[in-house]
Amino acid sequence: MIIAVDASGGEYAPHEVVKGAIKAAKEYEVEIALVGRKEILYVLAGRHMGKLGMSIIDASEVIDLHESPVEAVRGKPDSSIVLGTNLVKDGLASAFVSAGNTGAVLYSALVNLGKIPGVERPAIGCLINVNTTAPVLLIDAGANAECRPTHLAQFARLGTTYIREIFDISSPSIGLLSNGEEEKKGNRLTQETYQLLKTAKLNFIGNIEGQDISAGTTNIIVTDGFTGNIVLKTIEGMSTNWLYSLSQSGQLFSKAYSLPSRALHRDIGMDSWSKRLDYREYGGSCLLGVNGNIIIAHGRSRAKAIKNAIGLAKQTIERNVYQKIKEESYE
Amino acid sequence: MIIAVDASGGEYAPHEVVKGAIKAAKEYEVEIALVGRKEILYVLAGRHMGKLGMSIIDASEVIDLHESPVEAVRGKPDSSIVLGTNLVKDGLASAFVSAGNTGAVLYSALVNLGKIPGVERPAIGCLINVNTTAPVLLIDAGANAECRPTHLAQFARLGTTYIREIFDISSPSIGLLSNGEEEKKGNRLTQETYQLLKTAKLNFIGNIEGQDISAGTTNIIVTDGFTGNIVLKTIEGMSTNWLYSLSQSGQLFSKAYSLPSRALHRDIGMDSWSKRLDYREYGGSCLLGVNGNIIIAHGRSRAKAIKNAIGLAKQTIERNVYQKIKEESYE
């Protein structure tokens, strides 16, 4: 199993990406193909290559986080994002993991891999683990800012296959994110989507609200990519603040009572809280509906998040998610 | 100054509402008119009436939290919500505070008070104080699930007047909530709204993202009521979980080190955190754009939240917010 990793993508590339890839190669026993500038990658990863079965694919161009996706993908055929996607297309890699420009990864996947027949809009499924032990998948987490009801109904199907295959949940529950529980609540998009989901052969439990996200009311939260992206970043922003406050509080308390700060973390469970809040612990998001396994990691991923994203890629490959979605016949 | 308070509205009505009203009457020196079932209110508040200048307005009907707003308002003319709104309309009260069915309060305000001339859609402005000292107003927090760009542009104006008058900020900054900072990011609604705000005489700083909400990037966050409601409830859900975990952690730690739990709260600043996270500390939301001062409190408000909502009502009256909005000439 070869997993291609974008070594030029993300705020902490290439150093943290390479560190995460090395960790993943050791922990998950997967072969990593680092896609990026070969001179740097040989320096950073050279001595690990033989032993861990890592390889380097030279990508001379880099797509910046703020570049326009369409222009960047068209204008930089030798970028890590385009080359990484093409490794999947040509069967040379079983998955591509990138913390780079999300729009560019999306567009490259659309034009190079193409959509699974019948899927109108591939969507980003993001696992969020704020305060629940059961998996919660937010779909679409940002691929499609403007959606139609049929798109959202397909997101529900894509998410169902994903959660079913990855977590062995035979009939994952689905909630439609809205501004009220009642059927008639919502905007036109959710009202019409509700009618589609009601008659679909899915475990649709109805509308859910914002507070249900952290309560883990359903396994799958269906929403448009505009709302999904805002919700995800709202959670992230709050988590970042809390983590900062936790660390401040811990320091204050340790001083006041002359206790080692690790006591605070260990004994009152702050560590488990940090884990739930820290996006570095998340395994990345999966682009569902394209012909291949594409994993999107957070742009601010450090080594740990990259390692986890590669772990998710391995799971996605092993569980054959892409093939299972294809078998669902969306046409 | 007489402030009418819906004593039949909210999950903890009438007991907590009356308790909050009594506290407010003492602390803010305002005259409260309790609107609700007089038999109960005499029992609960009777002995405070003379001294605190409280009065009771009998409202024999109650609109339930889950009733359809339009039918409820039409069918229950003797409900606390309809009577409370009419007290404002008739000049018998300077403001109406309700923790009851938000949709019914909105509809009653629309039909009984009417819109300020030129305002297309009154909106809910909600102060959120998650992690910032500067005021942050989310508008629309849930009145209008389906919006047009001109509505959002008006929300920006309504919010500007509100923050300017209440907090003495001459030119409050405005961010448009979107899924990316760049001008072209967003859905059709935000893309078109961006163009309107760019040329408006407002302190518009551009698109902001989810993480900017808790960072306090701008004083005003403009969004449609669908997204605003979801964001607000997402924050609330996370805060509730967080408060629960804090209290659990505090108990564990107190046990482990035989410390009084108040030490934890006082010394590591958990109290200030709780305050920032707890909606009981919030002052409620203001319905902006109707002919009168309407304050919407959280449906799960206990005494403290009711007291704070009455405090906000007093401020809104004293700062003449409704009159100031009217002077802005929306026509």
Side-chain angles (χ1 to χ4, degrees):
Chain A
M1 181 193 297
I2 297 175
I3 296 174
V5 175
D6 180 359
S8 300
E11 276 183 36
Y12 303 110
H15 291 77
E16 292 285 323
V17 176
V18 172
K19 266 171 72 179
I22 292 169
K23 279 185 187 180
K26 287 178 185 165
E27 192 171 324
Y28 305 129
E29 294 177 2
V30 290
E31 289 173 68
I32 306 279
L34 290 169
V35 189
R37 288 182 163 141
K38 71 166 185 255
E39 303 79 19
I40 300 173
L41 294 179
Y42 274 113
V43 175
L44 293 176
R47 64 200 169 90
H48 297 280
M49 290 177 60
K51 206 169 57 189
L52 294 173
M54 288 174 85
S55 55
I56 289 170
I57 311 286
D58 188 35
S60 62
E61 292 174 306
V62 175
I63 295 179
D64 188 77
L65 283 171
H66 295 287
E67 279 186 77
S68 157
V70 177
E71 289 165 35
V73 168
R74 285 183 186 158
K76 293 180 173 174
D78 207 37
S79 61
S80 56
I81 288 174
V82 175
L83 289 180
T85 324
N86 281 331
L87 288 173
V88 175
K89 179 190 171 195
D90 299 336
L92 298 170
S94 303
F96 177 52
V97 175
S98 177
N101 184 317
T102 303
V105 176
L106 284 174
Y107 186 70
S108 178
L110 282 176
V111 294
N112 293 313
L113 300 176
K115 296 185 281 189
I116 288 173
V119 171
E120 291 183 69
R121 297 278 193 95
I124 296 174
C126 178
L127 287 167
I128 46 178
N129 307 304
V130 176
N131 196 27
T132 166
T133 45
V136 175
L137 184 83
L138 182 76
I139 183 168
D140 176 20
N144 309 283
E146 196 76 46
C147 290
R148 286 201 297 267
T150 50
H151 301 152
L152 265 64
Q154 283 199 344
F155 299 166
R157 291 184 63 191
L158 291 168
T160 295
T161 307
Y162 181 78
I163 292 290
R164 191 185 64 214
E165 298 303 326
I166 296 274
F167 294 98
D168 292 322
I169 296 172
S170 61
S171 181
S173 55
I174 299 163
L176 178 62
L177 192 57
S178 186
N179 61 333
E181 279 182 12
E182 299 85 355
E183 185 171 338
K184 58 180 185 289
K185 280 282 181 118
N187 53 20
R188 269 195 298 273
L189 174 63
T190 62
Q191 285 166 353
E192 289 175 26
T193 303
Y194 194 107
Q195 298 309 314
L196 294 177
L197 289 176
K198 218 168 65 169
T199 53
K201 284 176 189 155
L202 294 166
N203 185 9
F204 176 55
I205 67 140
N207 285 341
I208 57 169
E209 300 183 81
Q211 69 272 21
D212 292 304
I213 298 171
S214 49
T217 307
T218 57
N219 296 126
I220 298 164
I221 300 165
V222 171
T223 188
D224 63 277
F226 177 83
T227 310
N229 182 277
I230 288 172
V231 160
L232 202 62
K233 287 178 179 163
T234 300
I235 290 174
E236 220 175 86
M238 289 193 76
S239 301
T240 304
N241 277 330
W242 283 343
L243 284 173
Y244 178 75
S245 288
L246 267 187
S247 98
Q248 294 289 306
S249 297
Q251 285 171 24
L252 282 173
F253 198 72
S254 301
K255 263 188 207 159
Y257 291 91
S258 309
L259 292 170
S261 76
R262 68 181 158 73
L264 198 65
H265 283 266
R266 196 188 51 209
D267 297 336
I268 74 170
M270 277 194 180
D271 280 349
S272 79
W273 258 101
S274 301
K275 273 190 188 167
R276 276 182 289 180
L277 292 173
D278 195 345
Y279 58 81
R280 283 173 295 188
E281 297 281 341
Y282 296 161
S285 299
C286 204
L287 179 60
L288 301 171
V290 293
N291 284 308
N293 297 312
I294 302 289
I295 307 295
I296 294 167
H298 197 289
R300 287 195 298 276
S301 291
R302 292 190 184 268
K304 198 172 193 176
I306 296 291
K307 189 203 78 174
N308 288 345
I310 295 170
L312 179 66
K314 188 192 177 194
Q315 266 192 308
T316 310
I317 298 162
E318 284 176 348
R319 298 300 180 108
N320 229 342
V321 171
Y322 151 60
Q323 200 59 39
K324 297 285 181 185
I325 290 175
K326 220 170 159 181
E327 287 166 13
E328 294 280 339
S329 62
Y330 279 79
E331 287 174 291
Chain B
M1 180 192 301
I2 296 176
I3 297 174
V5 175
D6 179 0
S8 300
E11 276 183 37
Y12 303 111
H15 292 77
E16 292 285 323
V17 176
V18 172
K19 266 170 73 179
I22 292 169
K23 280 185 186 181
K26 286 178 185 166
E27 192 171 323
Y28 305 129
E29 294 177 4
V30 290
E31 289 173 68
I32 306 278
L34 290 170
V35 189
R37 288 183 162 139
K38 71 165 185 257
E39 304 79 17
I40 300 173
L41 294 179
Y42 274 113
V43 175
L44 293 175
R47 64 200 170 89
H48 297 281
M49 289 177 61
K51 205 169 56 188
L52 294 173
M54 288 174 87
S55 55
I56 288 169
I57 311 286
D58 188 35
S60 62
E61 292 173 305
V62 175
I63 294 179
D64 187 76
L65 282 170
H66 295 287
E67 278 187 78
S68 157
V70 178
E71 289 164 34
V73 168
R74 286 184 186 157
K76 294 180 172 174
D78 207 38
S79 61
S80 56
I81 288 174
V82 174
L83 289 180
T85 323
N86 282 331
L87 288 173
V88 175
K89 180 190 170 192
D90 299 335
L92 297 172
S94 304
F96 177 52
V97 175
S98 177
N101 185 320
T102 304
V105 176
L106 284 174
Y107 187 69
S108 177
L110 281 176
V111 294
N112 293 314
L113 300 176
K115 296 185 281 189
I116 289 173
V119 171
E120 291 183 69
R121 298 278 193 94
I124 297 174
C126 178
L127 287 168
I128 46 179
N129 307 305
V130 177
N131 195 27
T132 166
T133 45
V136 176
L137 183 83
L138 182 76
I139 184 168
D140 176 20
N144 309 284
E146 196 76 46
C147 290
R148 286 201 297 268
T150 49
H151 301 153
L152 265 66
Q154 283 199 343
F155 299 165
R157 290 184 64 191
L158 291 168
T160 295
T161 307
Y162 181 77
I163 293 290
R164 191 185 65 216
E165 298 304 324
I166 297 273
F167 294 98
D168 291 322
I169 297 173
S170 61
S171 181
S173 56
I174 299 163
L176 178 62
L177 192 58
S178 186
N179 62 333
E181 279 182 11
E182 300 85 355
E183 184 170 339
K184 59 181 182 290
K185 280 284 181 114
N187 53 20
R188 270 194 298 273
L189 174 63
T190 62
Q191 285 166 353
E192 289 175 27
T193 303
Y194 194 106
Q195 298 310 314
L196 294 178
L197 289 176
K198 220 168 64 169
T199 54
K201 284 175 187 155
L202 294 166
N203 185 10
F204 175 56
I205 67 139
N207 284 341
I208 57 168
E209 299 184 79
Q211 69 271 20
D212 292 305
I213 298 171
S214 49
T217 307
T218 57
N219 296 127
I220 298 165
I221 299 167
V222 171
T223 189
D224 63 277
F226 177 82
T227 311
N229 182 278
I230 288 172
V231 160
L232 203 61
K233 286 178 180 165
T234 301
I235 290 173
E236 221 176 86
M238 288 194 75
S239 301
T240 303
N241 277 329
W242 185 245
L243 284 173
Y244 177 75
S245 288
L246 270 185
S247 100
Q248 294 288 307
S249 297
Q251 284 171 24
L252 281 173
F253 198 73
S254 301
K255 263 188 206 159
Y257 291 90
S258 310
L259 293 169
S261 76
R262 67 180 160 74
L264 198 65
H265 283 268
R266 196 188 51 207
D267 296 336
I268 75 171
M270 276 193 180
D271 280 349
S272 79
W273 260 100
S274 302
K275 274 189 188 166
R276 276 183 289 181
L277 292 173
D278 196 345
Y279 58 80
R280 283 173 294 188
E281 296 281 341
Y282 295 162
S285 299
C286 204
L287 179 59
L288 300 172
V290 292
N291 284 308
N293 297 312
I294 302 290
I295 307 295
I296 295 168
H298 196 289
R300 289 196 298 277
S301 291
R302 292 190 184 269
K304 199 171 192 176
I306 296 292
K307 189 203 79 175
N308 288 345
I310 295 170
L312 179 66
K314 187 192 178 195
Q315 266 192 308
T316 309
I317 297 162
E318 284 176 347
R319 297 301 180 107
N320 229 341
V321 171
Y322 152 60
Q323 200 58 40
K324 296 285 180 184
I325 290 175
K326 220 170 159 182
E327 287 167 12
E328 294 281 337
S329 61
Y330 279 79
E331 287 175 292

